[in-house]
Amino acid sequence: MDKLGKGERTAVLARLLCGKPNQLISLSELADSLNAAKSTLSEDAAAIKKAFSQLDLGVIETIPGANGGIRWRPGGNVQWQTKIINDLCAQLADPARILPGGYLFTSDLCTDAKQVEQFASLFAHLFADREPTVVLTVEMKGITLAYATARYLGVPLAIARKELPGSLEGWPLVIRQERTEGPTININYETGSHKRVQTMALPHRSLPKQARALIIDDFMRAGGTAHGLEELVQEFGGTTVGCGVLVATREPEQKLINDYFALALLENVDADQQVVTVKPGNVMHKTNR
C-alpha cells in the first residue's frame, strides 16, 4: 500500500488499537501493514497515548522486546471513574424507579448501549490486572453488561443457563431449556435472599481449561447467584478472579462472596415516602487508591 501521512497513519493506528482492546498488537505486523518503520509507529503511539490520557479515553501501553508491541486498555483517571459511578447513583435515586412492593426498576441500565459501554469499560479497567481469560454471567439481564466487559477485556463470554422451576398437575418438575451445545455441567445452588434451591448449567465447551473467570452481573442481593457461579467454575477446574456487579443491596450485609466490586450500593427503598437511598459502592475504595 502507499505510504500514509502522519495524520492518516495515526488515525488508522488508533482505530486498530481500539478495535482490539487489551490485546497486544505487534509493531512488526503494523509496520508491514501500514508500510511504516517501527520507530515511526512508536512516535505515533506516543502521540495517541498523550491524547488519550488527556481525554480519559484509556491507556496506551508499549511492551518492549522481540515479542512486544502496543495495546489499548480502556479506562480513565479517578475523576472519570467517579463521574460514571455518581451518575449511576443519581439515576437510581430517582423516585420514579420505585415499583409496587418496594422494588426498584433497573432493567434500562443494561439496555442503554451508551451506559453499558461506560460501565463495561470501568469493569475492564478495574479487573484487567487480574488477567481473566473469560467473562462469566448468568442469563438474562446481565448479559449485555457481561458481553461489553468481555469485549473490552478481549476475552470470550460464557453464559450459564438457569433451570426454571414449574409444576405439572401438582408435581414439581424442572423445565429444561432445549440445548444444542452438547454435554453440560449442572449444579444446584441456594439463593442467598430467598433461600430457594435453583439449578444452573454450563456447556462443557464454554470454559477453556484452567479458565480464569471474571463474574459480571447486574444486581446482587445476598450473592447466591455469584456464589453458584463460583462453584460452577470450580467444577470446570477453573479459578474465579473476581466479581463485578452494577448494583448491590446493603442488606444482607454479609454476602455469600467476599471478593466483589459494586458500582452502586442500594441502601433503602421507601415506597411510602418515595425515597431511594443509594451511594457509591465498594468499588470506590479501589478507585481512590
Side-chain angles (χ1 to χ4, degrees), residues 202-271:
L202 193 63
H204 271 286
R205 299 186 183 186
S206 294
L207 293 185
K209 293 181 179 180
Q210 299 180 334
R212 296 175 56 82
L214 170 63
I215 296 170
I216 296 291
D217 208 354
D218 64 315
F219 195 84
M220 177 190 291
R221 190 176 300 276
T225 298
H227 183 61
L229 288 170
E230 284 185 332
E231 292 182 336
L232 194 55
V233 171
Q234 291 178 1
E235 290 293 326
F236 277 81
T239 303
T240 301
V241 298
C243 174
V245 295
L246 200 60
V247 185
T249 60
R250 172 171 290 280
E251 299 295 336
E253 194 167 323
Q254 185 64 42
K255 309 297 186 188
L256 293 178
I257 67 169
N258 297 317
D259 185 16
Y260 74 94
F261 287 129
L263 301 192
L265 180 66
L266 181 61
E267 295 192 313
N268 186 50
V269 178
D270 190 330

Side-chain angles (χ1 to χ4, degrees), residues 10-25 27 30 41-64 69-77 125:
T10 303
V12 171
L13 182 57
R15 176 64 183 85
L16 291 174
L17 289 168
C18 292
K20 296 182 177 182
N22 272 295
Q23 298 181 49
L24 196 64
I25 303 178
L27 276 177
L30 285 172
L41 292 176
S42 294
E43 294 175 0
D44 295 338
I48 296 171
K49 179 178 182 178
K50 181 179 179 181
F52 275 30
S53 176
Q54 291 176 345
L55 297 174
D56 289 331
L57 297 177
V59 178
I60 302 296
E61 295 182 343
T62 302
I63 312 299
I70 54 178
R71 67 184 170 197
W72 170 64
R73 289 185 180 271
N77 58 25
H125 175 77

Side-chain angles (χ1 to χ4, degrees), residues 140-187:
M140 290 284 298
K141 290 192 294 184
I143 291 178
T144 53
L145 180 60
Y147 166 76
T149 303
R151 185 174 69 84
Y152 276 127
L153 286 169
V155 300
L157 170 68
I159 303 171
R161 301 189 184 278
K162 288 183 179 179
E163 302 288 6
L164 306 177
S167 62
L168 180 62
E169 296 180 354
W171 291 89
L173 78 158
V174 171
I175 302 173
R176 298 187 179 276
Q177 300 187 23
E178 181 180 357
R179 298 192 188 90
T180 57
E181 299 103 334
T184 62
I185 291 181
N186 293 20
I187 67 161

